[in-house]
Amino acid sequence: MAGNGQEGGRNLLLTLRFDGSAFHGSAVQKNAPTVQGALQQALQQVFGEATDVKCASRTDAGVHARAFCVSFHTKSAIPCERLIEALNAYLPPEAAVYDCREVPPDFHARYSCLGKRYRYRILNSRIRDPFLLSTAFRIPYRLDWEIMDKAARAFLGTHDFSAFCSAGGSVQDRRRTIFLSRVWREGEQILFETGGDGFLYNMVRIITGTLIEIGAGKRMPESIPQALQAGDRSLAGFTAPAAGLCLEQVYYEVPARL
């Protein structure tokens, strides 16, 4: 049942969930626990040798995921259901594989991705909630979520998001198309959800920080189209903490299960 980790054989798509507070991001790092590192170690245990894993995206330390996708080729004949159980036996408790399916040979978790959907959770309360410490950003003062929702619509469509990304990224083309951008309230929690064909480095967190400033009355909603047009990072809001962010879905166009 050993796989060689090389091209050929089956091409498998795994979907994982993880608590980002336990990892220093998704991509492999030296001397730091990461999602990809933990998964590759689990694959090593199951297949008996190294496996070349392709990830749909990179997440920062503290960012969570309900649908983090990776793909890899393997010669192994282990059925998907058994592979899920085997990998989860070796993964740390903060991460789990919950879906495995065979995909076409040319499928690539990153390059076949059509888009992603993220959700950011804000606890809008004077009192902290111990159960949300690692999964929500607490704002103790009142936020006007309705104004935030109206302002969020300015992100819909195709724009240059240079003003809404952090320095350090190597991407040259910063135009992205956003098809979902909304804010709503559930009790003491305010949630921001966005979906698009791609996202720049810290883009969702900067958009969230901008909306928070608008909800707090520290910034006018008109500042969003102004920042988009100018492409100036200083015209957008702060970068919201990683803890409130979760990757909810990765979009692919794949045939029925092989």
Side-chain angles (χ1 to χ4, degrees), residues 29-73:
Q29 298 181 34
K30 290 184 178 180
N31 305 316
T34 66
V35 177
Q36 185 179 4
L39 178 60
Q40 290 184 165
Q41 289 177 15
L43 287 166
Q44 174 83 35
Q45 293 292 326
V46 174
F47 292 151
E49 54 191 60
T51 301
D52 182 19
V53 172
K54 291 93 170 177
C55 301
S57 62
R58 297 182 63 171
T59 60
D60 291 335
V63 175
H64 313 287
R66 293 185 183 275
F68 184 81
C69 297
V70 306
S71 63
F72 61 90
H73 286 80

Side-chain angles (χ1 to χ4, degrees), residues 8-190:
R10 294 189 298 161
N11 190 15
L12 299 182
L13 170 64
L14 299 183
T15 307
L16 299 85
R17 292 174 178 163
F18 60 81
D19 178 349
S21 62
F23 302 100
H24 288 256
S26 59
V28 172
Q29 298 181 34
K30 290 184 178 180
N31 305 316
T34 66
V35 177
Q36 185 179 4
L39 178 60
Q40 290 184 165
Q41 289 177 15
L43 287 166
Q44 174 83 35
Q45 293 292 326
V46 174
F47 292 151
E49 54 191 60
T51 301
D52 182 19
V53 172
K54 291 93 170 177
C55 301
S57 62
R58 297 182 63 171
T59 60
D60 291 335
V63 175
H64 313 287
R66 293 185 183 275
F68 184 81
C69 297
V70 306
S71 63
F72 61 90
H73 286 80
T74 179
K75 299 289 188 182
S76 170
I78 301 177
C80 282
E81 286 303 317
R82 286 186 56 197
L83 183 57
I84 291 174
E85 296 176 1
L87 290 174
N88 286 338
Y90 290 106
L91 284 170
E94 297 84 3
V97 176
Y98 72 93
D99 189 65
C100 174
R101 61 178 297 178
E102 188 172 350
V103 288
D106 60 348
F107 180 91
H108 190 291
R110 178 182 176 187
Y111 299 122
S112 299
C113 175
L114 301 177
K116 303 181 184 74
R117 177 170 60 87
Y118 288 92
R119 182 173 293 182
Y120 196 97
R121 188 177 302 273
I122 300 165
L123 176 61
N124 194 200
S125 171
R126 293 186 299 104
I127 302 172
R128 68 180 180 273
D129 184 337
F131 293 102
L132 296 176
L133 286 178
S134 65
T135 57
F137 175 38
R138 186 171 71 91
I139 300 289
Y141 46 85
R142 179 183 177 276
L143 296 176
D144 188 331
W145 71 268
E146 293 178 309
I147 289 180
M148 294 169 66
D149 181 45
K150 292 178 181 177
R153 299 171 194 172
F155 294 108
L156 293 170
T158 303
H159 308 281
D160 183 327
F161 282 91
S162 294
F164 294 88
C165 69
S166 295
S170 59
V171 178
Q172 298 298 318
D173 183 5
R174 295 180 175 177
R175 291 180 65 83
R176 297 292 184 272
T177 298
I178 300 300
F179 54 77
L180 174 65
S181 184
R182 64 178 184 135
V183 176
W184 72 99
R185 189 176 190 106
E186 294 180 358
E188 292 185 321
Q189 296 183 41
I190 294 175

Side-chain angles (χ1 to χ4, degrees), residues 191-246:
L191 299 108
F192 166 56
E193 191 169 57
T194 183
D197 62 358
F199 293 89
L200 302 169
Y201 181 45
N202 282 342
M203 178 173 157
V204 179
R205 291 166 59 188
I206 295 171
I207 288 176
T208 303
T210 304
L211 292 174
I212 289 173
E213 291 180 1
I214 290 173
K218 300 177 181 179
R219 173 185 296 274
M220 297 299 292
E222 295 77 17
S223 67
I224 292 177
Q226 292 171 358
L228 287 170
Q229 184 174 6
D232 185 346
R233 173 68 185 89
S234 67
L235 297 180
F238 73 101
T239 303
L245 184 60
C246 183

